Amino acid sequence: MDRLHLSQHISRQFNSEIEDVRRQVLAMGGIVEEQISAAVRVLVAREAGALGDIREREQRINAAELAIDEQCAFILARRQPAASDLRLVLAVMKMLADLERIGDEAKRIARLGERLLHEEGGAEVTAALADLGHCARDMLRGALDAFARLDEKLALDVMHRDRRLDGSYRVVTETLVARMQRDPEQIPIELDRLWCARSFERIGDRCKNLCEFVLYLVRGKDVRHSGLAKDGGASAS
């Protein structure tokens, strides 16, 4: 094989490896999204049967994180990517940690939901927790879609959705605190619900991180700590 053909072969192989990493991240993200949906079913719909699936998915998420991280390390060591390809590999390695932690938060919600299976929460709180869960799941879906398409506008939109999630979280917190004040005997139960709400809020924060990495890929610069999520998108180029 002459030098030209060898170079073209290596280039095609490298492009295939990069695209495979992207596909694996999206697949891992899909499993994490399913994990959030299952956690909501345990917490809100009281589907105890979803617990077994959550444990099985956790193993798949952890295995995916290790496999993708190893592939990224291989690409960095052997391929020495430059410019946009290097940014993609670095961003993916950071995104893996956020995706894994979102999965951990979902598992935590499901575990708390298991303790609440036989506790009556009331329609208002149940609806509020369901809203938090659906908002968090939709943020993750949007972040993954933004990554798949490298869509700056969608990434900014998802980041701004976190305001709504934060607002809902504050309302739920105030409601649960008031309930604990009225009935101190219910404090352990209401605290479990409060920690579930907190986990949904943290998922939203992790989704914002994912979107910041998308902006890093598109713009070529780190936008963390820039206040971008608060400026209404005015910084978008």
Side-chain angles (χ1 to χ4, degrees), residues 7-42:
S7 176
Q8 290 174 340
H9 173 73
I10 292 173
S11 178
R12 286 195 298 270
Q13 190 175 40
F14 175 68
N15 290 338
S16 176
E17 289 170 356
I18 288 290
E19 186 57 33
D20 188 49
V21 165
R22 283 168 55 89
R23 285 196 300 267
Q24 287 186 63
V25 171
L26 292 170
M28 177 182 174
I31 300 171
V32 175
E33 184 183 332
E34 291 172 2
Q35 199 77 320
I36 297 174
S37 296
V40 172
R41 292 200 303 274
V42 173

Side-chain angles (χ1 to χ4, degrees), residues 14 18 21 72 75-76 81-95 147 150 213-222:
F14 175 68
I18 288 290
V21 165
C72 287
I75 291 174
L76 288 175
S84 61
D85 290 329
L86 177 60
R87 289 201 302 271
L88 174 64
V89 175
L90 295 176
V92 162
M93 295 179 78
K94 294 176 181 178
M95 290 173 70
F147 172 67
L150 294 181
F213 295 133
V214 172
L215 295 179
Y216 167 64
L217 289 172
V218 173
R219 299 182 177 190
K221 62 181 180 180
D222 197 330

